[in-house]
Amino acid sequence: MIFDTHTHYDDEAFDSDREELITGLPRKGVGTVVTVGADMATSRAALELAGRYENVYAAIGVHPSETHGMTEQDLTWLRAHAANQKVVAVGEIGLDYHWKDTEPPVQRQWFEKQIALAKEVDLPVIYHSREAAEDTMKIICQTKAYECGGVIHCYSYAKEMALEYVKMGYFIGVGGVVTFKNGRKLKETVEAVPIEHIVLETDCPYLSPEPYRGKRNDSSKLGYVVDEIARIKGMTAEEVIDITEQNARRLYRLDKRS
Ligand code: NI
């Protein structure tokens, strides 16, 4: 079944039908989802959702654009809750130089601290990296963050760099953008990266695939992403679903959990 490795089901866009939508996912071929925190409030919300639904797991962490208000106390909370059975990753964390509302040095400081946390609690990392390719790679190498694995979410850089990440053991997150007419760069990445290193993600409610571009996204729309990956790779949709599901289980180490 489809494994959606990156969602934001706590988002207010789902306030009117969250319960119905999440419990209805298996009927639409979606077996498992990870709902991802982007600040302290949404990390708490992710934990709560994961506690309520068996097929929902959580990632907790603070998005680079939200790190300006982050405190050591927040880090202590993240450390304590990383031990929760349903928490499968630290994230989304990283660097975002597109939105400079948080100064890059502040982003880098909290990126490094949250990487250190992931290493300490031994969880994989969900990376958000936008217009910060060089610094992201530099920090990952300097901190040896690759030792705990992870996924480069919503991958937007060149295929050459994707292959470097693959060599380091990382997974590449592919979502709705691959269906866009101007998504050529990501299509090239999908072509270059071995299928064993690709995972599916919506980033819902954002980034709906064609023909729903601009509308609210949810995990049931991943079929369009699957079809495009299958077309590029010359595989069947079933093969793409099966292999990316296994990849996601490896990424989040689900088979090592009870
Ligand atoms: Ni996200």
Side-chain angles (χ1 to χ4, degrees):
M1 288 177 97
I2 286 175
F3 192 129
D4 189 348
T5 60
H6 195 117
T7 71
H8 298 281
Y9 278 120
D10 62 284
D11 194 280
E12 60 182 12
F14 298 109
D15 280 355
S16 62
D17 60 350
R18 183 176 295 105
E19 166 92 17
E20 203 186 322
L21 203 156
I22 292 177
T23 55
L25 287 175
R27 283 197 304 277
K28 293 173 176 168
V30 181
T32 315
V33 307
V34 173
T35 193
V36 179
D39 57 21
M40 295 310 292
T42 54
S43 290
R44 282 188 196 94
L47 258 185
E48 204 191 301
L49 282 176
R52 201 176 315 154
Y53 303 102
E54 204 191 331
N55 56 339
V56 177
Y57 290 87
I60 55 175
V62 178
H63 183 289
S65 301
E66 304 296 331
T67 49
H68 51 268
M70 210 179 160
T71 64
E72 290 295 331
Q73 221 179 339
D74 294 336
L75 212 53
T76 304
W77 185 93
L78 291 171
R79 186 180 292 111
H81 290 84
N84 184 299
Q85 268 298 315
K86 295 295 290 285
V87 172
V88 292
V90 171
E92 54 187 292
I93 68 171
L95 300 173
D96 192 324
Y97 294 172
H98 180 79
W99 305 110
K100 291 229 174 99
D101 42 348
T102 300
E103 292 294 316
V106 175
Q107 293 188 28
R108 286 193 290 271
Q109 180 199 342
W110 287 105
F111 184 30
E112 287 178 17
K113 286 190 184 211
Q114 291 184 92
I115 285 174
L117 170 68
K119 293 183 77 172
E120 183 190 325
V121 298
D122 192 26
L123 281 177
V125 172
I126 300 174
Y127 294 91
H128 170 104
S129 179
R130 189 168 179 199
E131 292 174 27
E134 223 173 288
D135 279 4
T136 304
M137 181 61 93
K138 202 164 88 189
I139 289 175
I140 285 175
C141 289
Q142 281 170 353
T143 58
K144 297 187 181 168
Y146 46 81
E147 287 174 355
C148 47
V151 55
I152 317 297
H153 142 69
C154 197
Y155 188 79
S156 60
Y157 302 135
K159 62 179 178 192
E160 289 80 9
M161 184 168 263
L163 291 173
E164 278 183 60
Y165 278 121
V166 165
K167 243 186 269 169
M168 296 158 87
Y170 283 110
F171 293 90
I172 305 295
V174 176
V177 175
V178 80
T179 68
F180 295 175
K181 283 199 179 67
N182 57 356
R184 194 167 140 214
K185 214 165 140 190
L186 185 58
K187 290 177 203 281
E188 286 175 4
T189 296
V190 167
E191 194 177 0
V193 170
I195 188 74
E196 288 73 23
H197 284 269
I198 292 175
V199 291
L200 303 175
E201 59 169 44
T202 50
D203 204 17
C204 66
Y206 313 107
L207 294 173
S208 268
E210 293 287 0
Y212 293 100
R213 193 169 178 180
K215 304 229 169 70
R216 186 185 79 169
N217 197 7
D218 71 77
S219 308
S220 70
K221 296 191 174 65
L222 273 175
Y224 296 95
V225 173
V226 167
D227 287 346
E228 182 59 14
I229 295 174
R231 187 191 67 76
I232 294 168
K233 291 294 205 189
M235 304 173 81
T236 66
E238 289 69 28
E239 286 171 322
V240 171
I241 289 169
D242 286 351
I243 297 170
T244 54
E245 183 185 24
Q246 290 166 32
N247 298 344
R249 296 189 69 84
R250 231 166 46 244
L251 158 64
Y252 293 132
R253 308 178 192 165
L254 289 192
D255 298 321
K256 289 183 186 156
R257 291 166 180 258
S258 52

